[in-house]
Amino acid sequence: MGHAGFDIVRSANNLGGVDDFIPFEATMRAARAAGLSVGDHIDEVMNGTPGATQSTIDELRALGVFAANPNTVLEIGPGSGRYLEKTLKECSPDRYEIYETAAPWADYLVDTFSVIAQPTAGCSLSPTPDGSIDLVQAHKVFNTVTFLCASRYFFEMARVTRPGGRIVFDVMTETCLNPAAVSAWATQGGTGHGSYPAAVPRRTCVDLFATLGCSLEASFLAPMGVATTEVLVFTKGA
């Protein structure tokens, strides 16, 4: 078929999980061959942004996100676990829940880090009770999904966070979209990946979470692709 200009590929009925664009087996082999951790391989080789994950964790540490020693953590879309692994170096929660649509990565994270993989429909955290989580986070997730998918998760994140808990996630806001950044995405960003990169207005996030009892504590820019994404840190009120 290749001689005729066609490729045969496996079709999967998935929910847009990270297995679509970070294949499990190939990534693991490449990381081992390079002598890198999976997370460092993705940052350095696949994304071309060395140290990006660690820099985000460093910023969160400086903001005191880990200082409260969160006892329960929930992460949406951990994928390869590069943020998960570094989070566990900062705190020692008794319970770490993940919602991951890519089964090979979810199985790997459960086996490697003893986290709890919750069943996911790709837009809900329904297995997690109200007000039960100290730290809810999602990294490089909401710039890869549709607006409605992200919005549904926002409501769920506020629901499961306990009073006084933190909500951390990044979105590609207007802060990240000056003319130079838009030009870079348009000319250097490749063909994209479905909805990636997806933009969400910053004010939409801040105002929505305010109605859900969560106030914006801090924000900062982090590398993503050919430009940046904005990390938002919310605190849920009593």
Side-chain angles (χ1 to χ4, degrees):
M1 295 291 283
H3 293 297
F6 296 96
D7 290 323
I8 299 176
V9 298
R10 184 185 300 275
S11 176
N13 180 20
N14 57 52
L15 297 166
V18 73
D19 53 336
D20 284 6
F21 52 100
I22 305 183
F24 177 76
E25 294 290 350
T27 302
M28 296 296 284
R29 285 196 303 269
R32 286 194 293 267
L36 296 170
S37 70
V38 176
D40 287 344
H41 172 73
I42 292 173
D43 275 353
E44 295 180 23
V45 180
M46 297 180 70
N47 291 344
T49 53
T53 301
Q54 187 61 55
S55 67
T56 294
I57 295 295
D58 291 344
E59 290 273 9
L60 295 176
R61 184 196 310 114
L63 291 169
V65 168
F66 307 114
N69 295 316
N71 192 50
T72 51
V73 179
L74 183 154
E75 185 171 352
I76 300 168
S80 65
R82 62 190 192 272
Y83 291 92
L84 186 159
E85 180 177 17
K86 293 184 184 299
T87 295
L88 290 176
K89 291 179 179 178
E90 299 291 334
C91 59
S92 301
D94 288 340
R95 183 180 179 87
Y96 199 122
E97 298 184 15
I98 64 169
Y99 283 80
E100 175 54 60
T101 61
W105 284 116
D107 292 343
Y108 163 75
L109 295 179
V110 170
D111 292 341
T112 304
F113 301 106
S114 299
V115 295
I116 299 166
Q118 295 282 27
T120 177
C123 62
S124 170
L125 307 175
S126 58
T128 302
D130 295 0
S132 62
I133 304 295
D134 296 314
L135 171 61
V136 177
Q137 61 178 350
H139 299 280
K140 307 295 171 59
V141 172
F142 299 132
N143 33 56
T144 70
V145 299
T146 64
F147 170 74
L148 285 180
C149 179
S151 299
R152 288 164 181 151
Y153 268 130
F154 293 161
F155 284 99
E156 285 287 84
M157 293 166 85
R159 176 185 67 80
V160 302
T161 303
R162 69 163 180 81
R166 290 317 207 320
I167 298 172
V168 175
F169 63 91
D170 68 282
V171 283
M172 191 170 70
T173 66
E174 62 272 26
T175 308
C176 312
L177 291 172
N178 60 41
V182 174
S183 177
W185 280 114
T187 60
Q188 304 168 41
T191 57
H193 176 77
S195 59
Y196 174 84
V200 177
R202 187 179 198 272
R203 177 52 56 188
T204 296
C205 293
V206 174
D207 288 352
L208 175 62
F209 276 93
T211 68
L212 301 173
C214 304
S215 58
L216 182 67
E217 180 179 339
S219 67
F220 57 90
L221 297 183
M224 184 184 75
V226 297
T228 59
T229 183
E230 186 171 10
V231 181
L232 306 177
V233 180
F234 291 89
T235 301
K236 185 172 180 178

